[in-house]
Amino acid sequence: MRALIVGAGIAGLVAARQLGLAGWSVDVLERAPGPRPEGYMMDFFGPGVRAAERIGLYPYLAQAAHRVRAAAYVDVDGRETARLDYEQFSALAGGNVLSLLRPDLETAALRALGDAPAGGIHLHYGCRAARVVQRPGAVALVAEDQHGQSRWFEADLLIGADGLHSRVREGVFGPESGWLRDLGMRAAAYIVAEPEINAGARHRFVLTDSIGRTAAYYGLRDGRVATLLVYRALPGDPHNARDRLRRHFTGLGATVDRLLQLCPQEPYDDVVAQVVMPRLSHGNTVLLGDAGGAVSLLAGQGGSLAVAGAAQLAASLENLEDPGWIPAALAGFSARWQLTVRSAQASGRRAAASFLPATRAGLLLRRWVIRSSSVPPMDRLIARRIVASLAK
């Protein structure tokens, strides 16, 4: 059978691998001209780890993982105000927490495509989904390549794994305004070359201990620095993302000011939002990853759910003997997977609310919780609560 996947992110690549292993012919369309080099650091644990171990993906992810020793909050002078020991947290969480840069996770998923039979999976970069055509028992899609030329794809199955602003979701389920739940903040991410900052942030996340905005950075293995900026938009904000970030974050310390100087003209900058839908499938089309169940990047679960959801979808389809059974299989997957997504979204809303304290009282409470995490028996209590909220 033939599958068409829109989006060569984590969910799309893992779904392509699993379907390819099951004997499907798979075409993957990605509007970017190649794998995206930009991204942010994420914690990978919970259902994604269990799925990765089950399908043989875990060795690829472990090889790409970074070693994080601590998450440290600092004031404007760079002095630590609170510190969370990552190795201790990992041990309390079961010892199976990977810290992965998003593009590294995608690269690992790309490498794992080689496990599938040769010729079964075809990647089409620089190819944008333009229009979905629903047909009885099949789907078709009109796409445009980077030269503006139209291309026609037909398949038994269409998977929309094209992210928060999914074109497949819009074409099949309607405008995103009906499904997008804005959590009231924005997040920007970019990677820059800055050896001095890298040396001071190697093996630790550094976050500003600030009210209403948080700048975070991490020193990568190659000498670069991954930067994440989270803030609440204000009336009168500049339209240009770089100018907007400089308006919000200038003054949080010399290191942050330097990272703002190095900010590219057009960094990733988008709303922090969830996608809340009553169902994930319609006929022979299904949504996967952020396209159908975005949790928000502040929840630390997007990569984990992308892998786990892709693995579960492929398992729902691998034993089908007739394309006519696809709609029922997709409906069953949607009903089961939605339970996991809704639980994760509930914890994601709590995580987003606590990420940007709005008052000094909220800031001091967060500082106390982090400091308490290193004191027995509070360490185990806090770790259990974090794991229970994020790893369901």
Side-chain angles (χ1 to χ4, degrees):
M1 286 182 275
R2 302 165 300 164
L4 178 60
I5 300 176
V6 178
I10 301 164
L13 292 173
V14 175
R17 174 184 183 265
Q18 295 309 110
L19 290 174
L21 287 170
W24 288 62
S25 174
V26 185
D27 284 287
V28 183
L29 278 58
E30 170 55 54
R31 66 179 181 179
R36 291 183 173 90
E38 300 294 336
Y40 45 87
M41 191 69 74
M42 63 176 70
D43 290 329
F44 187 86
F45 65 109
V49 167
R50 294 189 291 272
E53 290 175 333
R54 187 171 64 253
I55 66 177
L57 184 65
Y58 188 84
Y60 294 97
L61 303 182
Q63 186 176 11
H66 293 256
R67 185 183 180 189
V68 179
R69 295 195 179 101
Y73 282 85
V74 299
D75 62 18
V76 293
D77 296 316
R79 295 186 296 257
E80 280 194 14
T81 59
R83 183 182 184 89
L84 175 66
D85 186 294
Y86 243 67
E87 293 183 354
Q88 179 191 29
F89 170 72
S90 179
L92 292 170
N96 226 357
V97 179
L98 299 178
S99 294
L100 292 159
L101 196 64
R102 184 178 182 87
D104 289 348
L105 203 163
E106 290 188 7
T107 299
L110 273 170
R111 289 178 55 221
L113 291 181
D115 296 340
I121 301 173
H122 307 277
L123 293 174
H124 306 272
Y125 284 103
C127 197
R128 182 183 69 88
R131 182 167 56 92
V132 178
V133 180
Q134 296 273 24
R135 292 182 168 183
V139 287
L141 187 141
V142 179
E144 294 179 357
D145 64 21
Q146 52 194 334
H147 304 295
Q149 298 297 313
S150 294
R151 298 189 62 180
W152 177 267
F153 293 88
E154 292 188 23
D156 303 299
L157 167 69
L158 172 62
I159 299 175
D162 48 342
L164 191 66
H165 305 293
S166 169
R167 294 295 299 271
V168 173
R169 185 186 65 229
E170 180 179 28
V172 177
F173 295 91
E176 72 173 33
S177 58
W179 320 115
L180 210 64
R181 179 172 180 170
D182 192 338
L183 297 184
M185 56 192 78
R186 297 184 68 87
Y190 56 91
I191 299 174
V192 297
E194 219 326 330
E196 185 175 343
I197 296 177
N198 175 279
R202 185 68 66 88
H203 301 310
R204 66 174 186 154
F205 293 118
V206 182
L207 305 95
T208 57
D209 197 14
S210 45
I211 298 172
R213 52 185 176 160
T214 296
Y217 50 95
Y218 177 82
L220 302 176
R221 286 184 291 258
D222 60 5
R224 296 182 302 160
V225 179
T227 307
L228 175 67
L229 305 171
V230 183
Y231 63 104
R232 292 186 175 91
L234 296 172
D237 270 349
H239 177 72
N240 178 268
R242 182 170 63 183
D243 293 342
R244 185 165 61 244
L245 296 176
R246 289 175 175 173
R247 175 190 183 188
H248 280 268
F249 290 93
T250 296
L252 283 184
T255 298
V256 176
D257 287 347
R258 175 59 178 159
L259 292 172
L260 291 172
Q261 289 178 357
L262 297 172
C263 179
Q265 179 69 29
E266 297 182 0
Y268 167 85
D269 183 274
D270 204 350
V271 295
V272 175
Q274 296 184 336
V275 172
V276 182
M277 304 192 69
R279 67 185 190 280
L280 300 177
S281 71
H282 177 76
N284 289 51
T285 299
V286 67
L287 301 176
L288 192 61
D290 284 354
V295 178
S296 95
L297 84 173
L298 299 182
Q301 303 178 78
S304 178
L305 291 180
V307 171
Q312 185 166 323
L313 172 62
S316 301
L317 296 166
E318 63 183 359
N319 293 321
L320 297 187
E321 297 179 2
D322 188 298
W325 299 352
I326 290 176
L330 296 182
F333 160 77
S334 174
R336 293 188 300 273
W337 185 241
Q338 282 285 66
L339 299 176
T340 300
V341 170
R342 287 169 183 152
S343 175
Q345 287 180 330
S347 64
R349 289 190 289 273
R350 293 191 295 269
S354 64
F355 196 84
L356 293 185
T359 64
R360 179 161 180 78
L363 182 77
L364 294 175
L365 176 61
R366 181 180 67 184
R367 195 180 294 174
W368 175 84
V369 170
I370 295 170
R371 288 173 175 172
S372 299
S373 67
S374 63
V375 180
M378 288 294 292
D379 57 353
R380 295 184 181 278
L381 175 62
I382 292 171
R384 281 197 300 268
R385 293 194 66 179
I386 294 174
V387 173
S389 66
L390 297 183
K392 290 180 180 178

